[in-house]
Amino acid sequence: MSSKLIFKKRDPIESTVPKNFWKIMITDDSADVHEATVFALKGETVLGRSLEFIHTYSADECLEALKEHNDTAVLLLDAVMETRDAGLKAVKSIREDLGMRDVRIILRTGQPGDAPEVDSIHLYDINDYKTKSELTRNRLLTSIITAVRSYSQLKYIEAGSRTLKQIIESTKSLSPGQSLDELAVEIMERISSLFHFQGEMTFCRALIEGGEAEIIAWKKGGDSGPADDRHSYTIGEEIQKALDSRCSSYFKRSVCIYFDDSKEYSYTVGIVPEYLNEEEIPLMEVYASNLSLTMQNYRLFHRMARLAYEDPGLKIPNLSALIKKIESLDSPFQSNLFLLDINQFGSLNDMLGHDYGDQVLAAMVRRLKTALPPGAFIARVSGDVFAVISGDLTNQELLEIFSRPVDLDEGKQKLSVSIGSVSLESEYISGSDCLKNAHIALKRSKSEGMGSSVRYNPEIGLETRERIRLLHELRNAFQSEKLFLMYQPQVDIKSGKPIGFEALLRWKSSDGAFIPPSTFIPLAEQGGLIVPMGRWIMKSAMHALKELQHSTAGSLRMAINVSAIQLSSYDFLEHLKRTLKETRVPPELVDLEITESAAILGAEKVLALFHEIKALGLSISIDDFGTGYSSLSSIDSWPADRLKIDRSFVKDLGVEGQGGRIVDLVIPLGQKLGMQVLAEGIETEEQAGILLDLGCPEGQGYLYGKPMTLKEARKWLKERS
Ligand code: C2E
Ligand code: MG
Ligand code: MG
C-alpha cells in the first residue's frame, strides 16, 4: 500500500483556461445591441470563468432558449420589443412560469421613460435597470460582475444547504469496516462530487507524531484505485506540508484537506483543482472535521477487529483470522494449509520456564516470517501450533526451515517440528473443515515420530474418522459396562498344573462383533480412556482371583496387563494400593504384565516405579519380550521377575527357522538376569516339549486353555484339581 510520493514540477495553473463559464443571454430586437454587448464584454472573466453568450431576439425566443439554458447566469433583456411591456411580461413568465428564481436580469431600454414601475422591479426581482446609453463598456462590465456574483451566491446558498446535508449524510454512510484504500477512494469520490473537483486527487497518510507521507489511493477523472507505482503525484510537497502542520490549505493550484483519527494517523486529500470556489472553503472545513470523526471510527473499528483476529502475545493472526482467511480465498485457488507443531514444547516450557517458552514461540514466528515465500500467511492456532498458508511450498521445504537452530535472547535452540498439511484447492469445503483435515494430518505426523510431515488425503481422513467413531463407541461401551474380562490359564509345563490366569479384556461392539484388544487398547491409550479402564480391569481381575481361589487348593496368581500410559498416570501406585486393600488380595498373587514400551517413561521413572511395585509385594513380568524396541541393557537393570516370551517366537518352534533360535537365546538370558521365563502361545505338545527342554518351566496357550469367562475358568480349574 505504501508507495513514495513523487514530487513533480507542475505547470503553472494560470495558463490553463477554466472549462467553466457563465452563460449570458442577450435578448434584444436590435442586432447592433447584440454586437455592441459582445464587443464590450469579449475576453472578460468573472470569478475565474469566461463568459458565453446566447443570443435571442424576442421575448418568446428568450423564454424558449431559457428552457434549454436553465443555467443562464445573467439575462440582458430589452424592455421594449414587440410591445412596450414585452420585456416586463417576459420577466414575469421567467419567474412565475419557468420558476427560474436565480437567473439575474438586467433590463435595458432606449428611453428612461420606458422604465418599469419600482414595484415591478421588486416583485420580479429585477437586478438592474439601465438605459442603453448608460451601458458603456465599464458600466456594463460592472453590472455583469455584480449580477454574476449575485447569481453565484444564490447558487452557492442553494448548493450550500444541499452540501451541508450531503456532508452529514456523506460521512454518516462511509463504512469504517472497509479497507483503508477502499475508504480512501470513497472519500475522494465524495469530495469530488460534493465540491465539483474534477482534477487529480491523492489520499495520503502519515503518523500523527510526524513522518513521511504514504500514498493510500489516487483519483484522476473517472479513474481511481489504491496506490501503485504507475502514478506520479503533482502536489506532494503541499500534502507533506499539510500533514506536518496538521491543517488544511486552499490555494488556486492545490487544495489539501487535512483530517486525522486523533491518535495514530493524519490524513490529507491533495487536490489539483480546476477551479477553487473560495466560498466553499468553510464547507470543506466542515467536511474535514466530519472526516476526522470517520477516521476515528475507522481506527476504533479496526482496532477491535485486530483484537478479535490477532493473537495478543505474538501479534500475528489467530485461529479466527485463519478460518476467515481460508474462507476468503477466491476460488478456484491453489494453496496449501500447513500446521506446525513444536515437538516437546510442553517439556521445554516446564523445564526452562514460560519466559523461555515465549521466546521460543517468538523465534518460531520470526523464522517463519523471514524464511517463507512472500505472500505466505502465518497464524497461531493454539499454544504451540502454527498455521501457514502458501501456494508454492512443500512439507519438506517447511521442515528444512527449521534445520538450523533459532536465535533466542540466551543463545540458540534447535526446534523439532511436526507438520500436517492439506491442499486448499476445493471450493466446497469450509475453513474449519480444512483445518480439521490439517489437524488429522498433523496428528498422524506426530504419531510417526518427531520431525515427520504428513499430507492429508481422503484415506487418512477416513481412517481417522473411523478411529474417532470407534473411540466414541468404546467410551460408551466402557461407561455402560459392556467390556468384560476373560481369563487364560498359565500352567507349569511339566506337570500341567495351573499356576494362574492372565486377565484379557474383551469388547463386543454394538453390531455383535468382537473387536480385538490390539485394535481398541491403542485407541483407549490415545483417547485417554486407558487410565479409568485400567483401574476397572485391576479391580475386576483381583475380584476374579478371589473367586478362582475358591475353586482350587493351591495358590493362583493373576496376571494383569498394564499399559505404559497407565503406569505414567500420577496416581497409579496410589490406586494400586487402594485396590489391593479393598479386595484384600495378597499382593504376591498379583503379577503386572508390562511391555518393553514402558521404556518411553525414561529409565529413572521406570526403575522407581518397578521398585515401588515390588516393595508392595507384587511381581512384574516383561510381556511380549523380544518384540519391543528397548535395549537389553535397560531391561537388565529392571527389577522384573519374569520374561514372557512372545508367541511369535513360540509359533515357529519345531519348524526350522528364527523363532527357535531366539527362544534358544532368551531362556538362558532370563535365567542369567535372575528372571523366570514363561512362554506364551503354546499350541502344541511339541512346542511345550521343546520349551521344557530349553529350560522354560511355565507356559500359556491354547494347548492348555483359551481365554475363558470366570465361570468357565472355575470349571476348568475344578476339572484339574
Ligand atoms: P498379551 O498380553 O501378550 O496377551 C496374550 C495374547 O495372546 C492374548 O490376545 C491371547 O488371547 C493370545 N493367546 C494366548 N494364547 C494363545 C495361543 O495359543 N495362540 C494364539 N494365537 N493366541 C494366543 P488378546 O487377548 O487378543 O490380547 C492382545 C493383547 O492386548 C495382549 O497381549 C495385551 O497386550 C493387550 N491386552 C489384552 N487385555 C488387556 C488389558 O486388560 N489391559 C491392557 N493394558 N492390555 C491388554
Ligand atoms: Mg499380557
Ligand atoms: Mg504377550
Side-chain angles (χ1 to χ4, degrees):
M1 184 141 63
S2 71
S3 68
K4 284 253 171 142
L5 276 178
I6 300 159
F7 297 110
K8 194 174 105 183
K9 268 263 168 278
R10 60 167 183 255
D11 306 323
I13 203 158
E14 282 79 4
S15 74
T16 61
V17 183
K19 278 192 205 97
N20 288 338
F21 43 75
W22 304 111
K23 283 185 181 169
I24 311 292
M25 188 175 289
I26 305 167
T27 305
D28 204 301
D29 51 4
S30 153
D32 293 348
V33 173
H34 283 265
E35 235 172 77
T37 309
V38 172
F39 184 75
L41 297 176
K42 214 164 84 184
E44 295 295 341
T45 58
V46 182
L47 299 178
R49 300 193 202 178
S50 62
L51 306 176
E52 194 192 74
F53 302 99
I54 300 152
H55 300 275
T56 55
Y57 296 87
S58 68
D60 286 347
E61 260 183 57
C62 167
L63 292 175
E64 265 319 293
L66 277 177
K67 281 184 201 160
E68 188 186 332
H69 299 279
N70 59 5
D71 53 346
T72 299
V74 182
L75 172 64
L76 287 164
L77 179 65
D78 191 6
V80 181
M81 286 178 288
E82 304 95 314
T83 58
R84 275 188 64 81
D85 60 352
L88 206 59
K89 270 190 174 159
V91 174
K92 188 171 183 270
S93 292
I94 292 167
R95 297 296 187 221
E96 288 180 354
D97 303 338
L98 298 183
M100 291 174 69
R101 312 231 152 258
D102 297 338
V103 59
R104 299 296 82 203
I105 300 174
I106 300 172
L107 209 56
R108 300 198 287 186
T109 177
Q111 314 293 325
D114 296 333
E117 299 295 326
V118 175
D119 283 355
S120 313
I121 293 183
H122 286 304
L123 187 61
Y124 298 125
D125 189 20
I126 295 170
N127 282 77
D128 219 347
Y129 172 78
K130 292 278 184 306
T131 60
K132 287 181 187 171
S133 59
E134 271 182 290
L135 292 175
T136 59
R137 184 179 179 276
N138 273 348
R139 286 214 184 148
L140 184 57
L141 186 60
T142 319
S143 287
I144 291 284
I145 290 174
T146 314
V148 167
R149 275 236 168 91
S150 151
Y151 175 79
S152 132
Q153 253 155 16
L154 282 174
K155 280 287 163 205
Y156 169 66
I157 291 165
E158 182 195 300
S161 62
R162 202 176 53 222
T163 315
L164 256 179
K165 206 172 144 215
Q166 282 170 343
I167 282 175
I168 294 161
E169 289 302 317
S170 170
T171 38
K172 248 202 310 201
S173 62
L174 281 170
S175 155
Q178 43 192 343
S179 72
L180 184 57
D181 46 15
E182 283 167 354
L183 185 63
V185 166
E186 184 125 20
I187 286 175
M188 288 188 293
E189 299 283 2
R190 297 198 184 189
I191 289 178
S192 157
S193 78
L194 285 171
F195 302 109
H196 310 288
F197 288 126
Q198 304 302 323
E200 173 192 327
M201 284 195 194
T202 313
F203 188 108
C204 294
R205 75 164 179 191
L207 288 170
I208 279 191
E209 61 211 31
E212 212 175 317
E214 172 197 4
I215 299 172
I216 305 299
W218 57 271
K219 175 170 158 52
K220 215 169 195 170
D223 286 342
S224 59
D228 59 33
D229 297 327
R230 284 176 300 133
H231 289 84
S232 57
Y233 302 91
T234 317
I235 52 165
E237 276 170 69
E238 282 82 352
I239 291 174
Q240 187 68 55
K241 259 185 234 158
L243 288 168
D244 291 344
S245 63
R246 301 186 61 187
C247 67
S248 302
S249 60
Y250 304 91
F251 300 108
K252 270 190 190 155
R253 313 156 181 195
S254 74
V255 170
C256 289
I257 299 181
Y258 173 89
F259 45 99
D260 60 50
D261 67 13
S262 87
K263 275 230 156 67
E264 241 180 316
Y265 286 106
S266 303
Y267 299 89
T268 290
V269 176
I271 304 157
V272 181
E274 285 163 309
Y275 166 70
L276 172 64
N277 185 350
E278 289 178 11
E279 280 151 349
E280 288 193 338
I281 291 177
L283 279 177
M284 291 185 218
E285 293 280 273
V286 174
Y287 196 60
S289 54
N290 273 276
L291 285 177
S292 286
L293 289 175
T294 302
M295 297 322 288
Q296 273 179 41
N297 286 341
Y298 172 84
R299 181 176 56 79
L300 289 174
F301 185 93
H302 285 268
R303 208 180 123 225
M304 263 148 64
R306 259 206 314 276
L307 291 180
Y309 289 109
E310 189 180 83
D311 181 80
L314 296 171
K315 303 271 180 264
I316 59 169
N318 63 10
L319 178 63
S320 311
L322 174 69
I323 291 176
K324 206 171 114 183
K325 170 80 184 174
I326 299 172
E327 289 180 347
S328 74
L329 289 173
D330 285 332
S331 60
F333 46 83
Q334 221 198 333
S335 205
N336 302 296
L337 168 66
F338 301 87
L339 288 184
L340 294 88
D341 184 312
I342 307 178
N343 292 315
Q344 299 193 307
F345 179 75
S347 29
L348 215 68
N349 228 357
D350 290 346
M351 275 165 6
L352 300 167
H354 284 256
D355 236 25
Y356 192 87
D358 288 349
Q359 277 189 48
V360 168
L361 294 174
M364 170 99 178
V365 173
R366 274 200 305 277
R367 173 62 55 86
L368 285 172
K369 279 185 176 164
T370 51
L372 285 175
F377 176 89
I378 305 167
R380 183 186 193 181
V381 173
S382 61
D384 63 340
V385 180
F386 291 85
V388 168
I389 295 179
S390 178
D392 26 54
L393 187 69
T394 63
N395 283 357
Q396 201 47 42
E397 283 165 343
L398 196 50
L399 278 177
E400 269 156 28
I401 288 177
F402 295 94
S403 58
R404 278 182 304 112
V406 295
D407 294 314
L408 305 181
D409 291 351
E410 42 229 71
K412 291 178 183 298
Q413 171 74 48
K414 176 88 179 80
L415 294 184
S416 156
V417 296
S418 292
I419 294 173
S421 68
V422 61
S423 161
L424 291 180
E425 54 202 333
S426 163
E427 331 167 13
Y428 304 108
I429 190 163
S430 75
S432 53
D433 280 341
C434 289
L435 198 61
K436 237 182 249 163
N437 291 348
H439 265 297
I440 287 172
L442 178 63
K443 201 150 188 201
R444 177 63 69 98
S445 155
K446 293 212 79 143
S447 74
E448 288 180 3
M450 302 212 303
S452 326
S453 68
V454 168
R455 191 157 178 86
Y456 176 86
N457 63 45
E459 281 114 79
I460 295 184
L462 217 69
E463 274 170 47
T464 306
R465 288 188 174 90
E466 173 59 18
R467 278 221 332 271
I468 292 170
R469 191 194 60 76
L470 210 60
L471 177 61
H472 190 71
E473 209 184 307
L474 176 61
R475 185 167 282 129
N476 282 343
F478 174 56
Q479 274 157 7
S480 53
E481 300 175 14
K482 295 228 172 74
L483 298 180
F484 58 97
L485 288 173
M486 299 267 258
Y487 305 90
Q488 184 177 34
Q490 297 181 333
V491 301
D492 176 273
I493 297 180
K494 197 170 179 181
S495 62
K497 270 177 68 180
I499 49 179
F501 288 87
E502 176 179 4
L504 293 163
L505 191 57
R506 292 292 175 263
W507 174 26
K508 196 171 167 186
S509 77
S510 55
D511 59 8
F514 275 104
I515 296 168
S518 54
T519 301
F520 73 79
I521 297 285
L523 201 62
E525 288 177 339
Q526 285 161 22
L529 203 56
I530 195 70
V531 174
M533 243 161 76
R535 288 179 185 160
W536 171 82
I537 291 166
M538 190 81 75
K539 199 166 166 178
S540 310
M542 288 192 197
H543 277 298
L545 176 62
K546 292 191 77 177
E547 296 245 345
L548 291 169
Q549 207 70 74
H550 293 310
S551 311
T552 183
S555 78
L556 289 170
R557 68 173 181 246
M558 180 60 74
I560 302 169
N561 293 287
V562 177
S563 103
I565 296 182
Q566 253 175 289
L567 274 182
S568 71
S569 83
Y570 71 99
D571 63 348
F572 175 78
L573 282 170
E574 237 0 84
H575 190 265
L576 180 61
K577 281 185 221 165
R578 205 181 319 141
T579 314
L580 284 167
K581 207 166 145 195
E582 272 170 24
T583 54
R584 278 187 273 152
V585 165
E588 58 278 8
L589 299 185
V590 179
D591 179 51
L592 299 189
E593 291 195 7
I594 297 168
T595 67
E596 290 163 271
S597 68
I600 57 162
L601 300 182
E604 227 172 286
K605 180 141 194 210
V606 173
L607 274 185
L609 259 172
F610 276 31
H611 280 295
E612 296 221 43
I613 292 167
K614 300 270 305 158
L616 289 176
L618 293 88
S619 67
I620 297 174
S621 296
I622 308 294
D623 202 356
D624 305 342
F625 183 74
T627 61
Y629 51 80
S630 74
S631 65
L632 270 179
S633 62
S634 64
I635 299 236
D636 178 17
S637 62
W638 288 6
D641 301 87
R642 192 173 294 102
L643 286 184
K644 281 191 83 173
I645 301 172
D646 191 68
R647 70 167 190 271
S648 56
F649 304 123
V650 174
K651 197 175 72 186
D652 297 332
L653 280 181
V655 189
E656 233 6 80
Q658 275 234 329
R661 288 220 302 278
I662 288 176
V663 171
D664 234 356
L665 290 171
V666 169
I667 294 170
L669 179 77
Q671 289 160 347
K672 262 204 194 108
L673 293 173
M675 297 187 203
Q676 290 178 16
V677 185
L678 184 146
E680 289 187 287
I682 305 175
E683 293 187 0
T684 63
E685 289 289 357
E686 191 191 4
Q687 290 165 344
I690 298 172
L691 285 162
L692 202 56
D693 287 346
L694 289 170
C696 173
E698 296 179 344
Q700 173 183 347
Y702 293 173
L703 177 64
Y704 310 105
K706 288 195 170 180
M708 46 192 101
T709 61
L710 188 58
K711 201 171 156 197
E712 288 164 346
R714 286 171 69 173
K715 195 166 154 236
W716 183 90
L717 273 177
K718 284 221 171 86
E719 282 165 8
R720 255 143 266 251
S721 53

